[in-house]
Amino acid sequence: MVLPDQLVVQPHWLLPALSALLLVTLVLLGPGRAGTEHRHARKVALGLLLVVSAGNAGSAVRLVDGIVNGSVADQAGPLLAAGATIYLTNIVVFSLWYWEFDRGGPTARAAGTAVHPDLLFPQMANPEFAPAEWEPGYVDYLYLAFTNATAFSPTDVMPLKIWAKLTMLLQSVVSLVLVTLVVARAVNILR
């Protein structure tokens, strides 16, 4: 909603309206989601995440295309602001993907139904760092997404499953392309 129209998937109201509808549906379906899950709540949550991901991916593609063909960003400030918005949204989106898929999602994690983790956090590998019943919370996944986006690789959380490795790979590629092109163009404009 804060990006310039040329970077937003058109019509500009479609994705925010669809996101709002899915968010309201999710709230109505799953007020007690952490302990029990409505049978459709996970599908709605993943649908909402998919819509936000698609919107952000569309904006990233438009930004990269605009930088490459020279049709966007004749001023460094707005370019950096747009790039930062897409980059930070990308971090939040990927943190939610990790949150939703690690060991079957938040409800499955709380129930302890998964035998093996998808992502290995340091607290899981070294019992002296945390209580035996420690489980990652959302902030742990946000940290994972942030460090993966800034280091372009895993730092202390190791992906164990193929989906986690490919998701982290995709996040690193998107982050690397965004940072490289946006900063390079902004530096070029400043000269």
Side-chain angles (χ1 to χ4, degrees):
M1 301 214 25
V2 298
L3 294 173
D5 277 346
Q6 68 190 45
L7 298 180
V8 178
V9 175
Q10 298 298 323
H12 69 281
W13 55 266
L14 180 63
L15 291 179
L18 187 54
S19 296
L21 176 67
L22 289 168
L23 183 59
V24 167
T25 303
L26 185 60
V27 168
L28 293 174
L29 286 176
R33 188 158 179 231
T36 61
E37 186 169 38
H38 186 278
R39 61 188 179 114
H40 297 296
R42 182 162 167 84
K43 292 176 186 174
V44 173
L46 292 174
L48 175 59
L49 189 51
L50 188 62
V51 167
V52 174
S53 297
N56 201 56
S59 294
V61 167
R62 286 173 175 247
L63 178 62
V64 168
D65 182 56
I67 290 172
V68 170
N69 71 31
S71 66
V72 71
D74 55 352
Q75 295 180 347
L79 171 65
L80 290 171
T85 299
I86 294 169
Y87 182 79
L88 292 173
T89 302
N90 200 51
I91 289 171
V92 172
V93 163
F94 274 95
S95 72
L96 290 168
W97 282 116
Y98 301 134
W99 165 261
E100 282 291 343
F101 279 105
D102 184 29
R103 289 185 282 160
T107 302
R109 268 194 311 278
T113 57
V115 177
H116 300 290
D118 298 339
L119 297 161
L120 181 63
F121 289 84
Q123 295 90 332
M124 299 160 79
N126 297 306
E128 66 271 9
F129 291 163
E133 66 277 354
W134 182 89
E135 288 192 13
Y138 175 72
V139 171
D140 297 296
Y141 296 101
L142 181 62
Y143 172 79
L144 164 62
F146 179 80
T147 58
N148 194 52
T150 55
F152 312 119
S153 66
T155 55
D156 64 344
V157 179
M158 292 295 116
L160 301 177
K161 301 277 177 85
I162 294 296
W163 77 263
K165 293 175 183 182
L166 293 175
T167 304
M168 290 178 81
L169 175 83
L170 177 62
Q171 183 189 13
S172 293
V173 167
V174 170
S175 298
L176 182 62
V177 168
L178 279 173
V179 167
T180 302
L181 287 177
V182 169
V183 170
R185 178 67 180 137
V187 167
N188 190 30
I189 293 170
L190 290 173
R191 290 180 177 220

